[in-house]
Amino acid sequence: MAKPRGVIESIAPGSVGEELGLRPGDVLLSINGQPVRDVIDVQFYGAEEFLELVVEREGEEWLLEGERDYGDELGLSFVHPTFDVDIRRCANNCDFCFVKQNAPGMRKSLYVKDDDYRYSFLFGNFVTLTNLTADDWARLEEQRLSPLYVSVHATDLELRRRFLSRKAAPDVLDQLRRLAELNIEVHTQVVLVPGLNDGEHLSRTVRDLEGLRGRPVASVGVVPVGLTRHHPGRCRTYTSAESQALLDQVQPWRDANRNRWGSAFVYPSDEWYLVAGRDVPPARAYDGYPQVENGVGMVRRLLDEWQALKGRLPGKELRPATLACGTLIAPVLLAIVDE
């Protein structure tokens, strides 16, 4: 297997990397004797005061030495964030997997099922933790990569295995406890499928995750399954009445958590409110938006930003424009346009 190669794409002006004499096209091999596998290693091993970098340049290895002051960045951008180039593939076979619901005939990268804890740390991708190796756990212990974003779906082991179509999936509660021992914060999500992991199963999952609040679980996002016309399985989406029932089920937990801990901890995503025909909660209900990139509070943020912005719009007539959007968000955007 070829060794990971960190090809430098650019160097920030005035950065430590520029002072060391790095150039675009250099291949970073090691920092202070430690081979680098990705940008995480670069950040971790490049945080020392004294630096020895080995790079490959035009087929030869060069040793570059220098110092960095506290807070100074290396300032390096790489062609790919993980130097092995490939992303960890998902070995699960969830019926609702959004990758399997893509239309045919698009570029190959859109059909890659990823489940890579490195991308969870770097970009907030949700992962199932089902493919972690002993080396991965050793790295998590050494580098304490925090926060991570974990798709739990169900804490009942056998139910989760059926949900993921993975007979040997490890116990996610054991994994979360292990992450707690490493002081790694985790944001979790539960994607609900009608009749599979909702109802009492959801109650159990939330209770179990509440038992791990703060060590390591920081938040729980509750998200309805999303389907396209290319969905190959038998899943269905939630009705308006079911969405209302879900919101009614979750709200007492949120109220109790706020009384106990000062935050709701459990956050239904925006789809529930839109499908149920209910207004999204005010900003304070989202406790700083810990899962906004997961669609939890995104509509509220949009509405609040619009209220702050609309008074500053120019008085002249605006040009016609076309907004392409999904069907759920369309009424929200139309209301903004009408204003």
Side-chain angles (χ1 to χ4, degrees), residues 125-181:
N125 293 18
F126 277 90
V127 294
T128 64
L129 304 180
T130 55
N131 61 359
L132 291 184
T133 66
D135 287 342
D136 295 332
W137 281 107
R139 184 181 191 183
L140 288 169
E141 181 174 1
E142 178 193 14
Q143 298 182 344
R144 308 299 170 101
L145 304 180
S146 180
L148 296 178
Y149 297 79
V150 176
S151 292
V152 172
H153 304 322
T155 53
D156 179 284
L157 178 57
E158 293 308 316
L159 174 59
R160 188 169 191 257
R161 286 174 172 173
R162 293 202 308 272
F163 195 89
L164 300 176
S165 297
R166 187 79 176 274
K167 293 181 179 180
D171 190 328
V172 71
L173 288 175
D174 288 343
Q175 292 182 303
L176 291 174
R177 294 186 187 102
R178 189 171 179 181
L179 292 173
E181 293 173 358

Side-chain angles (χ1 to χ4, degrees), residues 25 87 111 147 181 250 269:
I87 192 170
Y111 304 102
E181 293 173 358
V250 170
S269 65

